[in-house]
Amino acid sequence: MGKKKKKKKNEDLLNAAIIGSSHETIQRYGSAAKQHYVAYSGVDNEKGQTLAKGLKQIANEKVNPNYKFQNHQQQMGYGAEVKDAARTNSENKIKGDSTRKVRTDDLGRVNDPVYDTVMLDGQGNVIEGSGAQMKFLGASQSDVTGKGDAARALNKLQSKRFQKYIDANAKIDVPSNQYDGIVSEINKRTQKNMEQLEYQKQVGNAEQAQRIQEKIDKLNKIKKNLRKSTVSSDEARFARMHPMLSTAQDVAKISHRAGMQVAKTSVIIGGSFSIVNNIVAVCEGREDPDDAVKNVAKDALVNLSDGYATGFTGTVIEGAMQNSKSEYIRTLSKTNIAGTIVTATVTATKTLSRYFNGEIDGVECMETLGEQGTDMIASAMFSAIGQAAIPIPVVGGLIGAMVGYALSSASYSILLGSLKEAKLAHEERIAIENACEEHIKMIREYRAQMNSIINEYLSETTEIFNESFTGIKNALSIGDVDLLIDKSNAITEALGGNKPFKTMDEFNTRMLSGDTFKL
């Protein structure tokens, strides 16, 4: 294999590895991004649910010119509820938490007298005690600086109108930028009431002392149930006025986190490839050590950039695909097609750059693009299979993608190599195509066998492996040889082998006996 051909194969294999390793991350962060697409449109196409209101609908609601400020404040409150639920659910998706926050309006409890939101468990049941009210109360048209927002908000929370929330022990979510101010105001009023209480006790006014004590108890309860919303006043206002841009900002933040995750993994995988290749080059005398170090650093930067692009853009695409109106596209979203699209685009761009720079001719350019597309699609498909067969983040997708790349590359090369012969007779072409079909059938059979073997062994041995490796690590850290042998034997037995000895003393005895034995 020529040097350029070998380099290209290494790059393609690395791309397949990055696709595989990014599968779990893009799926998870894509599901998180989807929550914001749903919040904007008001429709969850994947679940077949329609929200009472989405950010888009709220922004289009009518405004009375005579009560513009009041109308906007009310609509901001609705938008804050929608956005807070999306942000909470988004974080839960990233953490793997199956609980989710839902507006009571979206459960059919329109204008619930006590709760704006509740939490649902993984089965969709309301979690007891999770009900909350969202109160964006403090803003005043005459106070553009917002200096008195906290005091005004607390005044309303202490009023008779809001007593039902205190009695129901409801959590009270307030704008993130007002939370600290409201807590500070509660502390001031509590301290002032404590001083008044002490005075009334001294003068023997029991009735007045009782009323003051009730005020203190109410303040303490408000403080206990007060929570900082995930949304600030400014963010609620921006979501009301610019719902699409507000959604794009949240999706971008999630995608950035995904990009950073994939970038880290890509650097590790790519770094391993680069280090091995450059060490071999140094040993063979094709590179000096200084150049090798520079090449590794350069490769790391490229891998970092490509990995970030795959994670960031893949998450944006994945979230949109999961909430697509098309069932076909939603089905495709379960594969790693989103990451594949980005990686294939990056790779294709590099190939086209080589063509425009005169490094390759048009035929080689078309062949390379075709092979890359085939390999990428197979990598995405097998990445999903690998992740299902080996439910370990990164590992399953990585192995699956590399297997997919190898099988796809082999079958594509056979077909391409044969069909490139322009002088082949028609009958020979048919025979070759039939042979390729048989080859594909064998690949499918081998894949089924691989899945069966993986499922059988991993389902039975994963727990043993985890426990044994932990024990081996502990044994090495404390110098316990017998524990090391015991945990190593556990792996041997799990794979159907026989343990040759159980302790270090037994090993020494057998070594000194002079008898021949196999490990």
Side-chain angles (χ1 to χ4, degrees):
M1 186 183 291
K3 186 177 179 181
K4 287 186 177 179
K5 188 84 171 176
K6 185 176 181 180
K7 182 181 179 182
K8 177 193 167 299
K9 285 292 180 184
N10 286 338
E11 289 176 351
D12 291 347
L13 188 57
L14 176 58
N15 286 332
I18 291 174
I19 289 175
S21 66
S22 69
H23 182 197
E24 189 273 340
T25 300
I26 290 178
Q27 285 285 317
R28 186 158 44 92
Y29 281 85
S31 294
K34 176 212 161 188
Q35 307 305 311
H36 294 286
Y37 289 123
V38 172
Y40 170 75
S41 67
V43 180
D44 189 330
N45 291 304
E46 189 175 29
K47 294 182 178 179
Q49 298 174 348
T50 300
L51 307 185
K53 291 179 181 180
L55 295 177
K56 183 179 179 181
Q57 291 82 15
I58 293 170
N60 290 328
E61 288 185 343
K62 294 181 179 179
V63 174
N64 187 325
N66 297 323
Y67 300 98
K68 184 176 180 180
F69 180 81
Q70 292 86 340
N71 288 168
H72 277 172
Q73 286 300 121
Q74 185 180 41
Q75 291 161 7
M76 281 169 53
Y78 291 146
E81 291 174 18
V82 173
K83 204 162 188 66
D84 178 69
R87 285 183 174 179
T88 300
N89 295 334
S90 177
E91 286 304 310
N92 285 351
K93 287 288 184 181
I94 293 172
K95 293 184 294 186
D97 186 343
S98 61
T99 61
R100 60 191 181 98
K101 179 179 278 191
V102 181
R103 295 177 69 231
T104 50
D105 283 4
D106 297 329
L107 293 176
R109 292 158 50 180
V110 180
N111 296 324
D112 187 287
V114 179
Y115 303 119
D116 288 330
T117 62
V118 291
M119 296 297 297
L120 304 183
D121 61 22
Q123 287 70 49
N125 303 311
V126 176
I127 299 174
E128 188 176 352
S130 65
Q133 266 283 326
M134 178 165 284
K135 293 301 179 187
F136 276 50
L137 301 168
S140 171
Q141 192 170 5
S142 60
D143 181 9
V144 294
T145 64
K147 186 177 181 181
D149 285 0
R152 283 188 294 271
L154 184 54
N155 288 339
K156 292 179 181 179
L157 291 174
Q158 286 184 282
S159 68
K160 290 182 180 180
R161 181 185 169 192
F162 291 90
Q163 185 62 42
K164 60 183 178 181
Y165 308 126
I166 309 300
D167 294 339
N169 203 33
K171 301 297 182 185
I172 302 171
D173 296 326
V174 297
S176 56
N177 58 299
Q178 290 183 13
Y179 175 82
D180 291 338
I182 295 174
V183 170
S184 177
E185 191 67 26
I186 289 174
N187 292 337
K188 288 179 186 177
R189 295 186 189 184
T190 300
Q191 180 60 37
K192 185 177 180 180
N193 280 311
M194 289 291 290
E195 292 171 359
Q196 292 175 354
L197 176 63
E198 188 62 30
Y199 173 76
Q200 294 299 331
K201 285 182 178 180
Q202 288 176 3
V203 299
N205 191 340
E207 185 177 347
Q208 185 65 16
Q210 177 62 29
R211 282 198 290 266
I212 295 173
Q213 183 62 58
E214 289 173 359
K215 289 183 180 179
I216 294 172
D217 293 342
K218 187 173 182 177
L219 284 166
N220 287 335
K221 196 167 187 179
I222 292 173
K223 183 178 178 180
K224 179 182 177 183
N225 287 335
L226 203 68
R227 298 191 308 193
K228 183 184 291 189
S229 167
T230 61
V231 184
S232 70
S233 298
D234 287 343
E235 288 173 330
R237 185 176 298 105
F238 189 74
R240 163 61 183 81
M241 305 308 295
H242 310 285
M244 185 178 290
L245 284 175
S246 175
T247 299
Q249 286 179 349
D250 275 332
V251 171
K253 289 175 183 177
I254 291 169
S255 300
H256 169 69
R257 291 163 64 183
M260 294 302 293
Q261 288 291 325
V262 176
K264 291 175 186 176
T265 306
S266 300
V267 168
I268 293 172
I269 295 172
S272 302
F273 274 70
S274 180
I275 289 170
V276 170
N277 289 336
N278 282 281
I279 287 177
V280 171
V282 171
C283 292
E284 292 178 349
R286 293 185 285 108
E287 267 180 14
D288 61 54
D290 288 342
D291 288 338
V293 171
K294 292 177 183 177
N295 288 336
V296 170
K298 180 181 177 182
D299 290 342
L301 187 61
V302 172
N303 294 326
L304 183 71
S305 175
D306 288 353
Y308 182 85
T310 299
F312 185 99
T313 312
T315 296
V316 174
I317 296 171
E318 175 68 24
M321 289 179 69
Q322 286 186 21
N323 202 44
S324 170
K325 293 181 180 178
S326 167
E327 184 178 354
Y328 174 69
I329 292 178
R330 293 200 303 273
T331 301
L332 276 180
S333 73
K334 292 178 173 58
T335 70
N336 199 15
I337 194 68
T340 304
I341 291 171
V342 181
T343 307
T345 301
V346 172
T347 304
T349 300
K350 293 178 181 178
T351 299
L352 290 171
S353 294
R354 291 174 62 205
Y355 169 67
F356 291 132
N357 291 332
E359 298 176 27
I360 56 176
D361 59 24
V363 174
E364 187 177 354
C365 177
M366 290 299 103
E367 288 177 357
T368 303
L369 290 174
E371 185 172 356
Q372 286 168 344
T374 305
D375 292 341
M376 292 294 179
I377 292 170
S379 297
M381 179 180 71
F382 276 81
S383 172
I385 293 172
Q387 193 67 49
I390 309 176
I392 304 172
V394 177
V395 176
L398 175 60
I399 293 174
M402 295 182 76
V403 169
Y405 167 80
L407 295 177
S408 159
S409 182
S411 58
Y412 178 86
S413 296
I414 290 172
L415 185 61
L416 180 66
S418 300
L419 296 181
K420 279 174 67 177
E421 296 294 332
K423 295 181 182 180
L424 282 176
H426 179 67
E427 293 78 11
E428 289 178 295
R429 282 179 175 270
I430 292 175
I432 290 171
E433 289 170 357
N434 290 336
C436 287
E437 288 180 5
E438 291 301 316
H439 180 70
I440 292 171
K441 288 180 183 178
M442 285 192 299
I443 288 175
R444 288 173 178 162
E445 291 175 2
Y446 291 146
R447 184 182 73 192
Q449 292 176 13
M450 179 190 74
N451 287 341
S452 176
I453 293 170
I454 289 174
N455 285 330
E456 178 183 351
Y457 277 94
L458 284 182
S459 62
E460 296 175 356
T461 59
T462 299
E463 186 176 345
I464 295 173
F465 280 7
N466 289 336
E467 183 181 342
S468 298
F469 287 139
T470 300
I472 290 170
K473 179 181 177 181
N474 293 336
L476 291 171
S477 65
I478 63 176
D480 189 339
V481 179
D482 287 345
L483 177 60
L484 177 65
I485 293 171
D486 179 66
K487 295 303 178 183
S488 300
N489 283 339
I491 296 176
T492 301
E493 287 182 314
L495 295 176
N498 298 317
K499 50 186 179 184
F501 46 85
K502 299 178 181 178
T503 65
M504 190 64 190
D505 290 338
E506 186 178 335
F507 173 76
N508 289 332
T509 300
R510 295 194 66 174
M511 290 296 290
L512 295 173
S513 67
D515 297 331
T516 301
F517 69 98
K518 285 186 177 181
L519 288 175

